[in-house]
Amino acid sequence: MVLRCGIVGLPNVGKSTIFNAITSAGAQSENFPFCTIDPNVGAVGVPDERLERIHKYVKTDRVVPAELQLVDIAGLVQGASQGEGLGNKFLGHIKEVEAIAHVVRCFEDPEVIHVDGTIDPVNDIEVIETELALADLETLERAYDRTSRKARSGDKEAIAAAATYAKAKEAVAAGRQVRSLDLSEKEREILRPLFLLTAKPVLFVANVSEEDLHEPEACERYRKVAAYAEKQGAGVVAISGRIEGELSELSSEDRAEFLKDVGLEEPGLNRLIRETYHLLGLRTFFTAGEIEIRAWTFHEGDSAPKAAGVIHTDFEQKFIRAEIYRLEDLEEFGSEAGIRSAGKLRTEGKSYLMQDGDIAHFLIGP
């Protein structure tokens, strides 16, 4: 399972710089608006220190992290929902992702042009969110008009759909995001095919200066972004695009030395990737054997058979049971055999809900 997160923001806020640093994909990153037109897509491993901890006890040549796809979407501007700056095309790209990482400029640099001529992170956020909302409003109005005609004939499904579209349309028109609404599962199912932009979970990425990175709370612009995110029930992470860009060009040895010099334990992008992964409601289980140690992605709340289906669809269809242990058990008893001897290897059936960090063997039938 590989899900996609779109990186959005105004032009020249550091989106492509951050994308390049994460993926080393070499997306264009220049000091002029609309440098990125077609979306760049990069696959990135999700940093997880548990893989190396497992590897200490299970010897193998291959250690494979979970994967996340990031999509660098061109900078949006005011009027994008009406086609300004190729906006309709860019908004269409956002429809195709499952979550949004919204990059907000919080750094001062006279050499980097701001599209509006002044740096105001909350205003920048509201420009983007307004354009997403206007696009959703148009989508909902079309869906409502189409469905309400059918609802007048007494069609029960059309009546339910029209009511749901009206509820979402009224909320968006009042300045609320669809993701903030208290929706039933049925209502969510009705809205899902519309791929509404304001229904997607959002992580705000405050691109701060090198000086502000160590204590972002001291930066007024970051505090404004954090307060806005809290009000929206969204997450926020502070990184310095400039530092991450420099790190991405170094060897692993030089990178470790650079991090030490600037007083960081890990690249900020590691936090960003992990936060994005969790934003999507994703969790990780592991398989560990002689061939490889691998991290697998599942949705929180998935049953053991559904999680097993991530490996192969046959695993879900032919699931019999799962043998589960935890990393802490491996570290205490030293091997799977030791865990089994200690009676710590659990046998779980079809109703078991997988937990983040489970190490699993799945037994399947013919």
Side-chain angles (χ1 to χ4, degrees):
M1 177 195 303
V2 180
L3 298 182
R4 290 153 61 98
C5 179
I7 302 177
V8 307
L10 291 175
N12 286 1
V13 297
K15 294 183 298 76
S16 293
T17 299
I18 290 169
F19 173 84
N20 288 347
I22 295 173
T23 65
S24 300
Q28 281 184 286
S29 177
E30 301 294 342
N31 185 20
F32 56 89
F34 311 121
C35 174
T36 306
I37 295 178
D38 293 321
N40 297 294
V41 181
V44 58
V46 178
D48 195 326
E49 51 88 25
R50 293 173 296 184
L51 284 166
E52 284 306 314
R53 288 168 62 190
I54 295 170
H55 197 203
K56 289 181 180 179
Y57 300 93
V58 181
K59 300 305 179 185
T60 181
D61 292 333
R62 279 171 51 86
V63 177
V64 185
E67 188 175 287
L68 178 70
Q69 280 193 354
L70 296 171
V71 184
D72 180 24
I73 296 169
L76 297 170
V77 294
Q78 191 166 3
S81 59
Q82 304 302 314
E84 290 294 326
L86 302 178
N88 288 332
K89 181 177 181 180
F90 300 160
L91 289 167
H93 296 154
I94 301 173
K95 282 183 177 287
E96 299 172 4
V97 302
E98 285 78 25
I100 295 171
H102 186 160
V103 180
V104 187
R105 178 171 172 177
C106 295
F107 64 88
E108 191 77 49
D109 187 339
E111 295 184 4
V112 179
I113 303 165
H114 189 283
V115 69
D116 289 334
T118 184
I119 302 169
D120 183 340
V122 171
N123 181 70
D124 290 357
I125 291 171
E126 289 177 342
V127 166
I128 298 295
E129 296 216 324
T130 297
E131 295 307 321
L132 300 185
L134 288 171
D136 277 356
L137 197 56
E138 184 179 346
T139 299
L140 285 162
E141 286 173 344
R142 286 199 306 266
Y144 176 78
D145 290 345
R146 182 177 64 249
T147 311
S148 59
R149 290 192 294 270
K150 193 173 180 182
R152 285 193 289 269
S153 70
D155 184 291
K156 290 184 178 180
E157 288 192 6
I159 291 171
T164 302
Y165 298 148
K167 176 180 179 178
K169 182 160 68 81
E170 181 180 347
V172 173
R176 297 179 65 192
Q177 290 81 23
V178 174
R179 62 179 171 270
S180 72
L181 301 183
D182 183 16
L183 298 171
S184 68
E185 188 54 40
K186 175 66 175 176
E187 289 172 324
R188 293 182 190 280
E189 286 296 326
I190 289 171
L191 292 175
R192 193 164 288 126
L194 299 183
F195 300 102
L196 296 173
L197 305 178
T198 65
K200 300 177 187 295
V202 172
L203 173 70
F204 292 105
V205 183
N207 189 4
V208 301
S209 69
E210 301 171 45
E211 294 76 18
D212 290 327
L213 182 59
H214 293 285
E215 194 178 351
E217 291 79 9
C219 170
E220 182 182 2
R221 294 188 179 112
Y222 172 82
R223 291 198 303 272
K224 288 181 177 180
V225 175
Y228 189 95
E230 183 177 8
K231 186 171 66 174
Q232 297 292 326
V236 61
V237 60
I239 67 171
S240 166
R242 178 164 292 178
I243 286 180
E244 302 302 330
E246 293 179 19
L247 276 169
S248 69
E249 298 176 357
L250 300 176
S251 66
S252 57
E253 295 82 5
D254 290 342
R255 190 177 300 134
E257 189 64 30
F258 183 91
L259 285 169
K260 183 178 179 181
D261 289 344
V262 296
L264 296 175
E265 294 182 3
E266 64 173 356
L269 294 176
N270 285 9
R271 298 194 310 278
L272 172 56
I273 294 167
R274 287 195 296 265
E275 290 287 342
T276 303
Y277 188 76
H278 284 271
L279 178 68
L280 286 161
L282 303 180
R283 300 294 181 264
T284 303
F285 75 86
F286 304 96
T287 54
E290 292 182 1
I291 296 176
E292 68 178 15
I293 299 166
R294 182 183 287 264
W296 300 90
T297 297
F298 68 98
H299 280 106
E300 185 174 23
D302 280 353
S303 65
K306 190 171 182 64
V310 173
I311 300 175
H312 195 285
T313 53
D314 282 353
F315 280 37
E316 180 174 5
Q317 296 163 2
K318 301 178 180 180
F319 179 93
I320 297 176
R321 64 181 184 275
E323 293 183 337
I324 305 283
Y325 62 94
R326 303 289 295 179
L327 174 55
E328 294 77 13
D329 298 327
L330 183 60
E331 291 177 326
E332 180 176 356
F333 299 105
S335 68
E336 186 177 322
I339 294 169
R340 190 183 298 272
S341 296
K344 295 291 187 178
L345 188 70
R346 307 191 326 263
T347 299
E348 303 288 358
K350 293 182 179 180
S351 63
Y352 176 70
L353 300 182
M354 292 294 287
Q355 301 298 306
D356 185 60
D358 279 349
I359 305 173
H361 291 299
F362 297 109
L363 284 75
I364 63 173

PDB file of all heavy atoms in Angstrom, residues 28-60:
ATOM      1  N   GLN A  28      12.711  20.876 -10.369  1.00  0.00           N
ATOM      2  CA  GLN A  28      13.164  22.241 -10.549  1.00  0.00           C
ATOM      3  C   GLN A  28      12.849  23.068  -9.306  1.00  0.00           C
ATOM      4  O   GLN A  28      11.803  22.923  -8.705  1.00  0.00           O
ATOM      5  CB  GLN A  28      12.453  22.883 -11.743  1.00  0.00           C
ATOM      6  CG  GLN A  28      13.016  22.488 -13.096  1.00  0.00           C
ATOM      7  CD  GLN A  28      12.306  23.264 -14.188  1.00  0.00           C
ATOM      8  OE1 GLN A  28      11.163  22.982 -14.501  1.00  0.00           O
ATOM      9  NE2 GLN A  28      12.974  24.241 -14.731  1.00  0.00           N
ATOM     10  N   SER A  29      13.774  23.910  -8.928  1.00  0.00           N
ATOM     11  CA  SER A  29      13.552  24.795  -7.790  1.00  0.00           C
ATOM     12  C   SER A  29      14.230  26.118  -8.106  1.00  0.00           C
ATOM     13  O   SER A  29      15.432  26.278  -7.906  1.00  0.00           O
ATOM     14  CB  SER A  29      14.142  24.191  -6.514  1.00  0.00           C
ATOM     15  OG  SER A  29      13.994  25.068  -5.426  1.00  0.00           O
ATOM     16  N   GLU A  30      13.467  27.064  -8.639  1.00  0.00           N
ATOM     17  CA  GLU A  30      14.022  28.340  -9.060  1.00  0.00           C
ATOM     18  C   GLU A  30      13.235  29.486  -8.445  1.00  0.00           C
ATOM     19  O   GLU A  30      12.112  29.304  -7.964  1.00  0.00           O
ATOM     20  CB  GLU A  30      13.990  28.457 -10.601  1.00  0.00           C
ATOM     21  CG  GLU A  30      14.767  27.363 -11.325  1.00  0.00           C
ATOM     22  CD  GLU A  30      16.260  27.417 -11.073  1.00  0.00           C
ATOM     23  OE1 GLU A  30      16.748  28.474 -10.631  1.00  0.00           O
ATOM     24  OE2 GLU A  30      16.939  26.415 -11.332  1.00  0.00           O
ATOM     25  N   ASN A  31      13.813  30.671  -8.508  1.00  0.00           N
ATOM     26  CA  ASN A  31      13.235  31.832  -7.848  1.00  0.00           C
ATOM     27  C   ASN A  31      12.286  32.578  -8.787  1.00  0.00           C
ATOM     28  O   ASN A  31      12.485  33.734  -9.122  1.00  0.00           O
ATOM     29  CB  ASN A  31      14.362  32.753  -7.378  1.00  0.00           C
ATOM     30  CG  ASN A  31      13.824  33.923  -6.572  1.00  0.00           C
ATOM     31  OD1 ASN A  31      12.724  33.872  -6.064  1.00  0.00           O
ATOM     32  ND2 ASN A  31      14.619  34.985  -6.474  1.00  0.00           N
ATOM     33  N   PHE A  32      11.251  31.887  -9.267  1.00  0.00           N
ATOM     34  CA  PHE A  32      10.186  32.555 -10.000  1.00  0.00           C
ATOM     35  C   PHE A  32       8.926  31.703  -9.918  1.00  0.00           C
ATOM     36  O   PHE A  32       9.000  30.492  -9.788  1.00  0.00           O
ATOM     37  CB  PHE A  32      10.560  32.825 -11.459  1.00  0.00           C
ATOM     38  CG  PHE A  32      10.964  31.621 -12.244  1.00  0.00           C
ATOM     39  CD1 PHE A  32      10.013  30.862 -12.914  1.00  0.00           C
ATOM     40  CD2 PHE A  32      12.305  31.247 -12.344  1.00  0.00           C
ATOM     41  CE1 PHE A  32      10.386  29.750 -13.664  1.00  0.00           C
ATOM     42  CE2 PHE A  32      12.669  30.141 -13.087  1.00  0.00           C
ATOM     43  CZ  PHE A  32      11.711  29.390 -13.747  1.00  0.00           C
ATOM     44  N   PRO A  33       7.753  32.361  -9.958  1.00  0.00           N
ATOM     45  CA  PRO A  33       6.503  31.619  -9.791  1.00  0.00           C
ATOM     46  C   PRO A  33       6.270  30.618 -10.907  1.00  0.00           C
ATOM     47  O   PRO A  33       6.709  30.810 -12.041  1.00  0.00           O
ATOM     48  CB  PRO A  33       5.438  32.720  -9.801  1.00  0.00           C
ATOM     49  CG  PRO A  33       6.168  33.974  -9.453  1.00  0.00           C
ATOM     50  CD  PRO A  33       7.547  33.800 -10.027  1.00  0.00           C
ATOM     51  N   PHE A  34       5.547  29.542 -10.570  1.00  0.00           N
ATOM     52  CA  PHE A  34       5.116  28.520 -11.523  1.00  0.00           C
ATOM     53  C   PHE A  34       6.284  27.791 -12.164  1.00  0.00           C
ATOM     54  O   PHE A  34       6.212  27.339 -13.303  1.00  0.00           O
ATOM     55  CB  PHE A  34       4.195  29.094 -12.611  1.00  0.00           C
ATOM     56  CG  PHE A  34       3.076  29.919 -12.054  1.00  0.00           C
ATOM     57  CD1 PHE A  34       2.921  31.246 -12.417  1.00  0.00           C
ATOM     58  CD2 PHE A  34       2.220  29.377 -11.120  1.00  0.00           C
ATOM     59  CE1 PHE A  34       1.911  32.007 -11.867  1.00  0.00           C
ATOM     60  CE2 PHE A  34       1.205  30.138 -10.568  1.00  0.00           C
ATOM     61  CZ  PHE A  34       1.054  31.452 -10.952  1.00  0.00           C
ATOM     62  N   CYS A  35       7.390  27.718 -11.419  1.00  0.00           N
ATOM     63  CA  CYS A  35       8.512  26.916 -11.916  1.00  0.00           C
ATOM     64  C   CYS A  35       8.057  25.469 -12.089  1.00  0.00           C
ATOM     65  O   CYS A  35       8.428  24.812 -13.044  1.00  0.00           O
ATOM     66  CB  CYS A  35       9.676  27.006 -10.936  1.00  0.00           C
ATOM     67  SG  CYS A  35      11.043  25.935 -11.325  1.00  0.00           S
ATOM     68  N   THR A  36       7.280  24.955 -11.119  1.00  0.00           N
ATOM     69  CA  THR A  36       6.765  23.589 -11.199  1.00  0.00           C
ATOM     70  C   THR A  36       5.397  23.627 -11.860  1.00  0.00           C
ATOM     71  O   THR A  36       4.470  24.218 -11.334  1.00  0.00           O
ATOM     72  CB  THR A  36       6.608  22.983  -9.790  1.00  0.00           C
ATOM     73  OG1 THR A  36       7.851  23.095  -9.105  1.00  0.00           O
ATOM     74  CG2 THR A  36       6.205  21.525  -9.860  1.00  0.00           C
ATOM     75  N   ILE A  37       5.247  23.006 -13.019  1.00  0.00           N
ATOM     76  CA  ILE A  37       3.960  22.979 -13.718  1.00  0.00           C
ATOM     77  C   ILE A  37       3.366  21.586 -13.651  1.00  0.00           C
ATOM     78  O   ILE A  37       2.273  21.377 -13.142  1.00  0.00           O
ATOM     79  CB  ILE A  37       4.115  23.461 -15.171  1.00  0.00           C
ATOM     80  CG1 ILE A  37       4.532  24.933 -15.171  1.00  0.00           C
ATOM     81  CG2 ILE A  37       2.819  23.262 -15.941  1.00  0.00           C
ATOM     82  CD1 ILE A  37       4.769  25.518 -16.540  1.00  0.00           C
ATOM     83  N   ASP A  38       4.084  20.607 -14.162  1.00  0.00           N
ATOM     84  CA  ASP A  38       3.630  19.231 -14.013  1.00  0.00           C
ATOM     85  C   ASP A  38       4.091  18.727 -12.649  1.00  0.00           C
ATOM     86  O   ASP A  38       5.214  19.016 -12.223  1.00  0.00           O
ATOM     87  CB  ASP A  38       4.205  18.342 -15.120  1.00  0.00           C
ATOM     88  CG  ASP A  38       3.644  18.718 -16.482  1.00  0.00           C
ATOM     89  OD1 ASP A  38       2.432  19.025 -16.541  1.00  0.00           O
ATOM     90  OD2 ASP A  38       4.406  18.725 -17.462  1.00  0.00           O
ATOM     91  N   PRO A  39       3.244  17.978 -11.951  1.00  0.00           N
ATOM     92  CA  PRO A  39       3.633  17.536 -10.605  1.00  0.00           C
ATOM     93  C   PRO A  39       4.778  16.532 -10.658  1.00  0.00           C
ATOM     94  O   PRO A  39       4.792  15.639 -11.498  1.00  0.00           O
ATOM     95  CB  PRO A  39       2.356  16.887 -10.062  1.00  0.00           C
ATOM     96  CG  PRO A  39       1.585  16.476 -11.262  1.00  0.00           C
ATOM     97  CD  PRO A  39       1.903  17.485 -12.325  1.00  0.00           C
ATOM     98  N   ASN A  40       5.753  16.732  -9.782  1.00  0.00           N
ATOM     99  CA  ASN A  40       6.830  15.762  -9.620  1.00  0.00           C
ATOM    100  C   ASN A  40       6.422  14.774  -8.533  1.00  0.00           C
ATOM    101  O   ASN A  40       5.882  15.169  -7.505  1.00  0.00           O
ATOM    102  CB  ASN A  40       8.125  16.468  -9.201  1.00  0.00           C
ATOM    103  CG  ASN A  40       8.610  17.424 -10.266  1.00  0.00           C
ATOM    104  OD1 ASN A  40       8.991  17.018 -11.344  1.00  0.00           O
ATOM    105  ND2 ASN A  40       8.574  18.712  -9.964  1.00  0.00           N
ATOM    106  N   VAL A  41       6.685  13.504  -8.773  1.00  0.00           N
ATOM    107  CA  VAL A  41       6.312  12.461  -7.824  1.00  0.00           C
ATOM    108  C   VAL A  41       7.571  11.743  -7.373  1.00  0.00           C
ATOM    109  O   VAL A  41       8.395  11.343  -8.195  1.00  0.00           O
ATOM    110  CB  VAL A  41       5.328  11.451  -8.445  1.00  0.00           C
ATOM    111  CG1 VAL A  41       4.935  10.388  -7.423  1.00  0.00           C
ATOM    112  CG2 VAL A  41       4.080  12.168  -8.963  1.00  0.00           C
ATOM    113  N   GLY A  42       7.728  11.588  -6.078  1.00  0.00           N
ATOM    114  CA  GLY A  42       8.871  10.864  -5.534  1.00  0.00           C
ATOM    115  C   GLY A  42       8.443   9.883  -4.474  1.00  0.00           C
ATOM    116  O   GLY A  42       7.552  10.179  -3.671  1.00  0.00           O
ATOM    117  N   ALA A  43       9.032   8.712  -4.480  1.00  0.00           N
ATOM    118  CA  ALA A  43       8.771   7.714  -3.441  1.00  0.00           C
ATOM    119  C   ALA A  43       9.884   7.811  -2.406  1.00  0.00           C
ATOM    120  O   ALA A  43      11.065   7.933  -2.752  1.00  0.00           O
ATOM    121  CB  ALA A  43       8.719   6.317  -4.038  1.00  0.00           C
ATOM    122  N   VAL A  44       9.516   7.756  -1.138  1.00  0.00           N
ATOM    123  CA  VAL A  44      10.497   7.921  -0.074  1.00  0.00           C
ATOM    124  C   VAL A  44      10.237   6.888   1.012  1.00  0.00           C
ATOM    125  O   VAL A  44       9.092   6.555   1.308  1.00  0.00           O
ATOM    126  CB  VAL A  44      10.420   9.369   0.491  1.00  0.00           C
ATOM    127  CG1 VAL A  44       9.039   9.678   1.016  1.00  0.00           C
ATOM    128  CG2 VAL A  44      11.462   9.610   1.562  1.00  0.00           C
ATOM    129  N   GLY A  45      11.305   6.355   1.574  1.00  0.00           N
ATOM    130  CA  GLY A  45      11.173   5.438   2.692  1.00  0.00           C
ATOM    131  C   GLY A  45      10.814   6.187   3.965  1.00  0.00           C
ATOM    132  O   GLY A  45      11.293   7.301   4.196  1.00  0.00           O
ATOM    133  N   VAL A  46       9.965   5.590   4.780  1.00  0.00           N
ATOM    134  CA  VAL A  46       9.548   6.225   6.032  1.00  0.00           C
ATOM    135  C   VAL A  46      10.589   5.894   7.114  1.00  0.00           C
ATOM    136  O   VAL A  46      10.786   4.719   7.443  1.00  0.00           O
ATOM    137  CB  VAL A  46       8.163   5.719   6.470  1.00  0.00           C
ATOM    138  CG1 VAL A  46       7.756   6.340   7.803  1.00  0.00           C
ATOM    139  CG2 VAL A  46       7.125   6.027   5.397  1.00  0.00           C
ATOM    140  N   PRO A  47      11.286   6.898   7.648  1.00  0.00           N
ATOM    141  CA  PRO A  47      12.306   6.620   8.676  1.00  0.00           C
ATOM    142  C   PRO A  47      11.686   5.917   9.880  1.00  0.00           C
ATOM    143  O   PRO A  47      10.665   6.353  10.405  1.00  0.00           O
ATOM    144  CB  PRO A  47      12.808   8.015   9.054  1.00  0.00           C
ATOM    145  CG  PRO A  47      12.429   8.898   7.914  1.00  0.00           C
ATOM    146  CD  PRO A  47      11.165   8.343   7.365  1.00  0.00           C
ATOM    147  N   ASP A  48      12.304   4.820  10.303  1.00  0.00           N
ATOM    148  CA  ASP A  48      11.759   4.041  11.425  1.00  0.00           C
ATOM    149  C   ASP A  48      12.909   3.328  12.116  1.00  0.00           C
ATOM    150  O   ASP A  48      13.458   2.353  11.595  1.00  0.00           O
ATOM    151  CB  ASP A  48      10.738   3.028  10.916  1.00  0.00           C
ATOM    152  CG  ASP A  48       9.872   2.448  12.039  1.00  0.00           C
ATOM    153  OD1 ASP A  48      10.394   2.277  13.155  1.00  0.00           O
ATOM    154  OD2 ASP A  48       8.689   2.145  11.782  1.00  0.00           O
ATOM    155  N   GLU A  49      13.289   3.830  13.284  1.00  0.00           N
ATOM    156  CA  GLU A  49      14.431   3.277  14.003  1.00  0.00           C
ATOM    157  C   GLU A  49      14.194   1.838  14.444  1.00  0.00           C
ATOM    158  O   GLU A  49      15.144   1.108  14.747  1.00  0.00           O
ATOM    159  CB  GLU A  49      14.798   4.149  15.206  1.00  0.00           C
ATOM    160  CG  GLU A  49      13.647   4.493  16.148  1.00  0.00           C
ATOM    161  CD  GLU A  49      13.451   3.441  17.219  1.00  0.00           C
ATOM    162  OE1 GLU A  49      14.440   2.753  17.522  1.00  0.00           O
ATOM    163  OE2 GLU A  49      12.326   3.315  17.735  1.00  0.00           O
ATOM    164  N   ARG A  50      12.952   1.380  14.445  1.00  0.00           N
ATOM    165  CA  ARG A  50      12.659   0.010  14.858  1.00  0.00           C
ATOM    166  C   ARG A  50      13.234  -1.017  13.894  1.00  0.00           C
ATOM    167  O   ARG A  50      13.546  -2.148  14.284  1.00  0.00           O
ATOM    168  CB  ARG A  50      11.147  -0.175  15.001  1.00  0.00           C
ATOM    169  CG  ARG A  50      10.539   0.631  16.137  1.00  0.00           C
ATOM    170  CD  ARG A  50       9.029   0.551  16.151  1.00  0.00           C
ATOM    171  NE  ARG A  50       8.432   1.141  14.955  1.00  0.00           N
ATOM    172  CZ  ARG A  50       7.122   1.275  14.752  1.00  0.00           C
ATOM    173  NH1 ARG A  50       6.262   0.870  15.687  1.00  0.00           N
ATOM    174  NH2 ARG A  50       6.653   1.828  13.655  1.00  0.00           N
ATOM    175  N   LEU A  51      13.406  -0.647  12.630  1.00  0.00           N
ATOM    176  CA  LEU A  51      13.970  -1.583  11.653  1.00  0.00           C
ATOM    177  C   LEU A  51      15.379  -2.016  12.058  1.00  0.00           C
ATOM    178  O   LEU A  51      15.714  -3.202  12.006  1.00  0.00           O
ATOM    179  CB  LEU A  51      13.984  -0.949  10.263  1.00  0.00           C
ATOM    180  CG  LEU A  51      12.637  -0.880   9.541  1.00  0.00           C
ATOM    181  CD1 LEU A  51      12.722   0.067   8.351  1.00  0.00           C
ATOM    182  CD2 LEU A  51      12.199  -2.274   9.084  1.00  0.00           C
ATOM    183  N   GLU A  52      16.198  -1.052  12.453  1.00  0.00           N
ATOM    184  CA  GLU A  52      17.565  -1.389  12.841  1.00  0.00           C
ATOM    185  C   GLU A  52      17.594  -2.149  14.165  1.00  0.00           C
ATOM    186  O   GLU A  52      18.460  -3.002  14.383  1.00  0.00           O
ATOM    187  CB  GLU A  52      18.427  -0.127  12.914  1.00  0.00           C
ATOM    188  CG  GLU A  52      18.824   0.414  11.558  1.00  0.00           C
ATOM    189  CD  GLU A  52      19.497  -0.644  10.689  1.00  0.00           C
ATOM    190  OE1 GLU A  52      20.387  -1.359  11.193  1.00  0.00           O
ATOM    191  OE2 GLU A  52      19.130  -0.773   9.502  1.00  0.00           O
ATOM    192  N   ARG A  53      16.667  -1.852  15.039  1.00  0.00           N
ATOM    193  CA  ARG A  53      16.594  -2.595  16.308  1.00  0.00           C
ATOM    194  C   ARG A  53      16.247  -4.064  16.030  1.00  0.00           C
ATOM    195  O   ARG A  53      16.814  -4.970  16.656  1.00  0.00           O
ATOM    196  CB  ARG A  53      15.572  -1.951  17.236  1.00  0.00           C
ATOM    197  CG  ARG A  53      16.035  -0.615  17.815  1.00  0.00           C
ATOM    198  CD  ARG A  53      14.903   0.130  18.500  1.00  0.00           C
ATOM    199  NE  ARG A  53      14.363  -0.615  19.641  1.00  0.00           N
ATOM    200  CZ  ARG A  53      13.250  -0.268  20.274  1.00  0.00           C
ATOM    201  NH1 ARG A  53      12.541   0.791  19.860  1.00  0.00           N
ATOM    202  NH2 ARG A  53      12.818  -0.973  21.310  1.00  0.00           N
ATOM    203  N   ILE A  54      15.346  -4.301  15.111  1.00  0.00           N
ATOM    204  CA  ILE A  54      15.019  -5.681  14.726  1.00  0.00           C
ATOM    205  C   ILE A  54      16.225  -6.343  14.081  1.00  0.00           C
ATOM    206  O   ILE A  54      16.541  -7.513  14.335  1.00  0.00           O
ATOM    207  CB  ILE A  54      13.808  -5.703  13.759  1.00  0.00           C
ATOM    208  CG1 ILE A  54      12.550  -5.199  14.461  1.00  0.00           C
ATOM    209  CG2 ILE A  54      13.570  -7.110  13.218  1.00  0.00           C
ATOM    210  CD1 ILE A  54      11.369  -4.971  13.522  1.00  0.00           C
ATOM    211  N   HIS A  55      16.941  -5.574  13.251  1.00  0.00           N
ATOM    212  CA  HIS A  55      18.071  -6.120  12.501  1.00  0.00           C
ATOM    213  C   HIS A  55      19.204  -6.598  13.412  1.00  0.00           C
ATOM    214  O   HIS A  55      20.005  -7.459  13.037  1.00  0.00           O
ATOM    215  CB  HIS A  55      18.589  -5.058  11.523  1.00  0.00           C
ATOM    216  CG  HIS A  55      19.452  -5.611  10.450  1.00  0.00           C
ATOM    217  ND1 HIS A  55      20.368  -4.842   9.765  1.00  0.00           N
ATOM    218  CD2 HIS A  55      19.548  -6.865   9.922  1.00  0.00           C
ATOM    219  CE1 HIS A  55      20.985  -5.597   8.872  1.00  0.00           C
ATOM    220  NE2 HIS A  55      20.519  -6.816   8.956  1.00  0.00           N
ATOM    221  N   LYS A  56      19.279  -6.065  14.621  1.00  0.00           N
ATOM    222  CA  LYS A  56      20.306  -6.514  15.564  1.00  0.00           C
ATOM    223  C   LYS A  56      20.117  -7.979  15.944  1.00  0.00           C
ATOM    224  O   LYS A  56      21.077  -8.670  16.299  1.00  0.00           O
ATOM    225  CB  LYS A  56      20.269  -5.647  16.832  1.00  0.00           C
ATOM    226  CG  LYS A  56      20.778  -4.228  16.645  1.00  0.00           C
ATOM    227  CD  LYS A  56      20.719  -3.469  17.963  1.00  0.00           C
ATOM    228  CE  LYS A  56      21.216  -2.044  17.799  1.00  0.00           C
ATOM    229  NZ  LYS A  56      21.130  -1.283  19.083  1.00  0.00           N
ATOM    230  N   TYR A  57      18.872  -8.446  15.860  1.00  0.00           N
ATOM    231  CA  TYR A  57      18.559  -9.815  16.302  1.00  0.00           C
ATOM    232  C   TYR A  57      18.184 -10.742  15.153  1.00  0.00           C
ATOM    233  O   TYR A  57      18.281 -11.961  15.297  1.00  0.00           O
ATOM    234  CB  TYR A  57      17.397  -9.771  17.310  1.00  0.00           C
ATOM    235  CG  TYR A  57      17.725  -8.961  18.535  1.00  0.00           C
ATOM    236  CD1 TYR A  57      17.404  -7.606  18.611  1.00  0.00           C
ATOM    237  CD2 TYR A  57      18.393  -9.525  19.620  1.00  0.00           C
ATOM    238  CE1 TYR A  57      17.724  -6.852  19.721  1.00  0.00           C
ATOM    239  CE2 TYR A  57      18.710  -8.778  20.738  1.00  0.00           C
ATOM    240  CZ  TYR A  57      18.379  -7.444  20.786  1.00  0.00           C
ATOM    241  OH  TYR A  57      18.704  -6.698  21.898  1.00  0.00           O
ATOM    242  N   VAL A  58      17.776 -10.185  14.045  1.00  0.00           N
ATOM    243  CA  VAL A  58      17.410 -10.988  12.868  1.00  0.00           C
ATOM    244  C   VAL A  58      18.359 -10.595  11.751  1.00  0.00           C
ATOM    245  O   VAL A  58      18.258  -9.512  11.181  1.00  0.00           O
ATOM    246  CB  VAL A  58      15.951 -10.746  12.448  1.00  0.00           C
ATOM    247  CG1 VAL A  58      15.594 -11.612  11.241  1.00  0.00           C
ATOM    248  CG2 VAL A  58      14.999 -11.024  13.602  1.00  0.00           C
ATOM    249  N   LYS A  59      19.304 -11.464  11.421  1.00  0.00           N
ATOM    250  CA  LYS A  59      20.339 -11.131  10.453  1.00  0.00           C
ATOM    251  C   LYS A  59      19.844 -11.402   9.036  1.00  0.00           C
ATOM    252  O   LYS A  59      19.390 -12.499   8.721  1.00  0.00           O
ATOM    253  CB  LYS A  59      21.616 -11.931  10.734  1.00  0.00           C
ATOM    254  CG  LYS A  59      22.206 -11.665  12.121  1.00  0.00           C
ATOM    255  CD  LYS A  59      22.457 -10.168  12.342  1.00  0.00           C
ATOM    256  CE  LYS A  59      23.013  -9.873  13.727  1.00  0.00           C
ATOM    257  NZ  LYS A  59      23.145  -8.424  13.964  1.00  0.00           N
ATOM    258  N   THR A  60      19.936 -10.382   8.216  1.00  0.00           N
ATOM    259  CA  THR A  60      19.516 -10.486   6.832  1.00  0.00           C
ATOM    260  C   THR A  60      20.202  -9.391   6.033  1.00  0.00           C
ATOM    261  O   THR A  60      20.700  -8.416   6.612  1.00  0.00           O
ATOM    262  CB  THR A  60      17.985 -10.351   6.703  1.00  0.00           C
ATOM    263  OG1 THR A  60      17.611 -10.480   5.338  1.00  0.00           O
ATOM    264  CG2 THR A  60      17.511  -9.009   7.205  1.00  0.00           C
TER     265      THR A  60
END
